[in-house]
Amino acid sequence: MMKENLNRVKKESKVIGIFDSGCGGLTVLRAVQKKYPHDSYVYVGDLARLPYGTKSPETVKNYCLSLTRLLQNYPLKALVIACNTASTYGAEAVRHLCHPSVPVIEMITPAARAAVAATHNAHISVIATQGTVSNKAYSRAIHSIAPQLTVTETACQVLVALAEEGWVKDTIAQDTVKRYLDPIFDTSNAPDTLILGCTHFPLFEDVLRGYVGEGVTIINSGEAVAAQLSLPSEAQGDGLTQFLVTDTPALFLKKAYRFLGRDILPDCVSYVDIADYT
Ligand code: DGL
């Protein structure tokens, strides 16, 4: 199995490794690929063990380590942890596991920086998974840059489920957004900046924009990663992407378009038994 996967990218000298719990990280791949279209990518979606957002810190960290070991089968140019929850609990351990020459990119710091730069009224709202919020990952990252800012973090687990289901534009999405955000935005001290601190939430961008109006800056954490990413050298290849998934590829192919905005050819997706890397 691994041999086939390795064969597919062997022509390329180095690849950008990128992992997520499933399809959500495709929103990050999409943003990074837009900036570096000639690089080759190996994307791992840990379908067998998703969601990460409701798992314990130790479990998420161990999942991150196994996905990193899997990606270490490839000559890595950089490693992107394309999941906010995984970035929260796994970034430090992943950095330890990687060779110092491989930059490890996580999701929290770039979005925090972008939000600090955007806010004028010193109040930032963060929507994320239960795991990311309970760690206060965004509050800590923002306060390390600007301690005076107010940060309101809200766990929005139902939005993760709606994105998986594809219910991202209809009334159920609008009602859910309103229910989560009214206590923060329907107040006299509403934030002027909203961080989408979960890979699934860019899918709600229209509904969220409709809810918050034009006066609020929406920070897409995947786009913030891409904007602040600076790779050592620009590749000149044809931008090959290999997808590895830890459960049936059909599950991945069914949802991928929604997150990536383009179709993936079935023969670019292979199953990997993650038990070999735990
Ligand atoms: N990728 C996760 C994140 O950005 C959301 C999905 C999950 O819980 O696995 O936090």
Side-chain angles (χ1 to χ4, degrees):
M1 169 68 70
M2 281 311 300
K3 232 186 193 108
E4 281 163 27
N5 299 333
L6 285 164
N7 282 347
R8 201 179 148 74
V9 293
K10 76 175 183 219
K11 287 179 283 166
E12 307 297 323
S13 52
K14 288 210 165 182
V15 302
I16 298 174
I18 172 162
F19 73 74
D20 175 48
S21 55
C23 289
L26 294 173
T27 59
V28 185
L29 176 67
R30 183 180 187 167
V32 174
Q33 243 170 356
K34 202 167 159 200
K35 180 160 177 185
Y36 294 105
H38 301 296
D39 270 278
S40 289
Y41 295 82
V42 178
Y43 177 98
V44 186
D46 195 6
L47 298 179
R49 304 185 296 191
L50 73 81
Y52 282 13
T54 51
K55 302 275 178 352
S56 73
E58 197 58 21
T59 297
V60 173
K61 184 181 88 181
N62 287 331
Y63 288 176
C64 291
L65 291 175
S66 57
L67 298 178
T68 303
R69 281 183 215 109
L70 163 59
L71 281 166
Q72 284 176 330
N73 280 313
Y74 298 87
L76 294 176
K77 177 176 187 172
L79 180 62
V80 181
I81 307 178
C83 168
N84 291 262
T85 314
S87 298
T88 298
Y89 294 115
E92 205 182 313
V94 167
R95 280 202 180 101
H96 264 90
L97 190 60
C98 287
H99 190 272
S101 64
V102 177
V104 174
I105 293 107
E106 50 79 28
M107 304 283 299
I108 312 293
T109 316
R113 277 197 202 119
V116 170
T119 187
H120 294 295
N121 76 352
H123 188 182
I124 296 168
S125 159
V126 181
I127 53 174
T129 63
Q130 202 174 291
T132 303
V133 169
S134 67
N135 180 271
K136 295 199 182 315
Y138 274 104
S139 297
R140 287 190 287 114
I142 290 167
H143 287 146
S144 74
I145 312 166
Q148 75 284 7
L149 300 186
T150 301
V151 184
T152 310
E153 296 194 59
T154 311
C156 300
Q157 280 306 135
V158 175
L159 288 182
V160 179
L162 292 179
E164 289 285 331
E165 203 62 42
W167 297 348
V168 295
K169 291 195 193 297
D170 42 13
T171 49
I172 191 165
Q174 290 162 6
D175 291 347
T176 308
V177 162
K178 187 169 158 43
R179 175 121 186 206
Y180 278 129
L181 293 188
D182 266 0
I184 299 138
F185 282 88
D186 195 14
T187 63
S188 54
N189 175 32
D192 69 351
T193 305
L194 171 65
I195 297 180
L196 310 186
C198 170
T199 52
H200 287 51
F201 296 170
L203 273 63
F204 299 99
E205 205 148 351
D206 292 348
V207 168
L208 287 165
R209 175 57 70 206
Y211 175 81
V212 295
E214 290 305 319
V216 171
T217 303
I218 296 178
I219 311 280
N220 172 328
S221 53
E223 282 171 7
V225 165
Q228 291 170 47
L229 183 60
S230 168
L231 290 176
S233 62
E234 190 86 23
Q236 297 305 320
D238 16 306
L240 194 64
T241 307
Q242 171 74 39
F243 299 90
L244 306 177
V245 292
T246 61
D247 203 342
T248 318
L251 290 174
F252 184 74
L253 287 162
K254 203 171 129 202
K255 293 182 181 172
Y257 183 89
R258 212 180 293 152
F259 293 88
L260 190 60
R262 61 179 163 84
D263 278 321
I264 295 174
L265 294 174
D267 71 350
C268 295
V269 187
S270 315
Y271 168 75
V272 170
D273 187 353
I274 199 61
D276 294 344
Y277 298 90
T278 51

